[in-house]
Amino acid sequence: MQQPHVSRAPARPSHLLSAACASLLFAGTVQAEDATIEGIVIGTYQHAGQSTIAGQDVKDEFSGAIDLSISAPLAGGALEVEVKGATTPITDGVSSVLPEANASVGETLDNNDEGRIVAWQLFYRHDVGAGSLAGGLIDVSGWIDGNDVASDEFTQFMGTSFLHNPTIDMPAATLGMAYNAGLGGGFGLAAVLSNATGIEPCYRCAFDLGRDGNGAFAALEGQWAGNSMTANLGYWTNTRKHDTDGDGIDDDRLSENPASGVYGNLSGGLGKGQWNLRAGWADPKVQAAAGFLGLAYSYPLDRVIIGAGVSQTYASDELTDPHSDLTQAEIYGRMEVAKGLTVTADLQHIAHSGFDPTQDGTWVVGTRMGVSF
């Protein structure tokens, strides 16, 4: 199994950490004795093809984010630290009106929807048997539902539909533990047990075990890597008290039910490029995103990476408000102009953002530049 980038969960196969969604990117790696430090600063410019979307004005938007990670050997394992930060989305900006258009701008917002810098991960990792066991503040997405084509909010697609499976009610940075192991014959497994809520609503929420209806998140994923294909298949559950009314699901007796679902990725080669098929299903009685199907492809062309994807997120039939399935398509081209300098162009089409049937389709143009060392 491929090893992931160290600033993510180091046991997750097929995950790369770099840069996408931006017009400014800084990345560096410094080796100080045995510790490794990596830093990234990203920025994004996006423009919507309509000045008004579903009756709401929309403005062009510049945004930025930062990622700093440190890996240091410690007691036969490693201490992993990651710090993230992002700017505050502007009122009526592209990412406020169409949140699916930018996967990184809202990652570290506080409960007032303002940007901040946070300790995203702080955990100790130790080799156990044929795998690695980690515990502390972890990014759950770094351990499950990964692939090389569409899993990185920095180097790959800008759209949220191509970052993670939207049917998984998964906390981001939160208190927990994770294990990843190879079982031989190309097979492996990943397991996660964590707090059900991450730092998104409030930093304290990542550590509020069992308070205010909070619960646990658990996932078990089987993995397989062949000569030309890789796959993973997993089951997850989130036992926090789900406020179904907040998702437009009007049934009080379901608010105590845990969310659960299954998901999978299948990836393979096609020419010089690589494709990924991602799918998921979740209990439609508990959450709005009940199904997902996405297809993505990336192709290296000399110093240019071309990526294209299309996805459909299926709305729960339990939604009481008028709703339509969300469709998102994206194509990007990232060119390395010189060593450490990249320029990217991005085009998206988003229909029924937030399952809103009145948002019948909008084009979004984005640009990105990157400087790395």
Side-chain angles (χ1 to χ4, degrees):
M1 307 295 284
Q2 298 182 31
Q3 291 301 311
H5 197 285
V6 71
S7 68
R8 295 288 181 181
R12 166 176 163 182
S14 57
H15 185 84
L16 305 175
L17 178 63
S18 329
C21 297
S23 57
L24 175 66
L25 176 153
F26 159 82
T29 301
V30 179
Q31 190 76 28
E33 297 181 353
D34 293 329
T36 300
I37 303 174
E38 297 184 340
I40 301 172
V41 176
I42 63 172
T44 305
Y45 168 75
Q46 289 182 301
H47 165 79
Q50 301 170 219
S51 59
T52 303
I53 298 175
Q56 184 174 355
D57 293 338
V58 59
K59 302 174 183 176
D60 294 1
E61 183 173 28
F62 290 92
S63 62
I66 184 172
D67 191 302
L68 176 67
S69 55
I70 302 171
S71 177
L74 179 65
L79 179 66
E80 309 285 353
V81 182
E82 183 176 14
V83 176
K84 275 192 174 187
T87 56
T88 301
I90 66 171
T91 303
D92 296 333
V94 172
S95 68
S96 295
V97 180
L98 300 170
E100 298 86 3
N102 194 319
S104 66
V105 70
E107 273 194 314
T108 62
L109 298 184
D110 61 17
N111 54 2
N112 294 317
D113 291 331
E114 295 182 353
R116 56 180 172 165
I117 296 177
V118 297
W120 191 254
Q121 295 196 98
L122 176 57
F123 64 88
Y124 175 71
R125 172 178 56 87
H126 195 85
D127 291 341
V128 177
S132 292
L133 177 67
L137 183 66
I138 65 171
D139 180 1
V140 173
S141 68
W143 298 84
I144 62 172
D145 185 42
N147 68 78
D148 282 337
V149 181
S151 277
D152 193 317
E153 68 272 39
F154 292 101
T155 56
Q156 299 167 340
F157 295 90
M158 293 187 183
T160 61
S161 298
F162 306 106
L163 177 59
H164 306 305
N165 193 318
T167 64
I168 305 176
D169 186 9
M170 173 172 49
T174 194
L175 187 65
M177 57 192 307
Y179 181 70
N180 182 286
L183 302 179
F187 290 94
L189 65 83
V192 175
L193 178 62
S194 75
N195 191 14
T197 305
I199 68 171
E200 301 97 324
C202 65
Y203 206 85
R204 175 184 59 82
C205 297
F207 303 91
D208 279 351
L209 301 177
R211 292 179 54 184
D212 301 324
N214 197 13
F217 175 87
L220 181 63
E221 176 182 294
Q223 304 164 345
W224 173 79
N227 291 331
S228 60
M229 296 184 67
T230 62
N232 58 48
L233 179 65
Y235 170 82
W236 63 270
T237 184
N238 189 321
T239 66
R240 69 180 173 86
K241 181 178 179 179
H242 284 73
D243 182 4
T244 53
D245 290 341
D247 282 335
I249 303 173
D250 187 16
D251 192 340
D252 291 338
R253 67 182 174 83
L254 296 171
S255 64
E256 299 288 349
N257 286 5
S260 61
V262 294
Y263 66 92
N265 283 268
L266 182 65
S267 300
L270 181 62
K272 295 181 180 179
Q274 189 174 16
W275 57 268
N276 170 257
L277 178 65
R278 175 181 261 153
W281 173 90
D283 186 349
K285 296 179 179 179
V286 183
Q287 61 181 42
F292 177 77
L293 189 63
L295 180 64
Y297 181 72
S298 65
Y299 185 85
L301 186 63
D302 194 16
R303 303 182 73 172
V304 178
I305 301 294
I306 304 296
V310 61
S311 69
Q312 184 99 341
T313 305
Y314 299 92
S316 167
D317 291 336
E318 302 286 334
L319 291 171
T320 56
D321 296 331
H323 56 275
S324 296
D325 298 334
L326 165 66
T327 301
Q328 187 165 11
E330 181 174 356
I331 183 170
Y332 72 85
R334 185 179 75 253
M335 179 174 63
E336 185 180 16
V337 179
K339 185 177 180 179
L341 175 63
T342 60
V343 178
T344 302
D346 183 86
L347 178 65
Q348 298 182 53
H349 187 266
I350 302 171
H352 307 139
S353 172
F355 303 128
D356 182 357
T358 66
Q359 196 273 306
D360 54 5
T362 303
W363 292 98
V364 178
V365 178
T367 59
R368 175 179 67 210
M369 292 174 60
V371 180
S372 63
F373 59 91

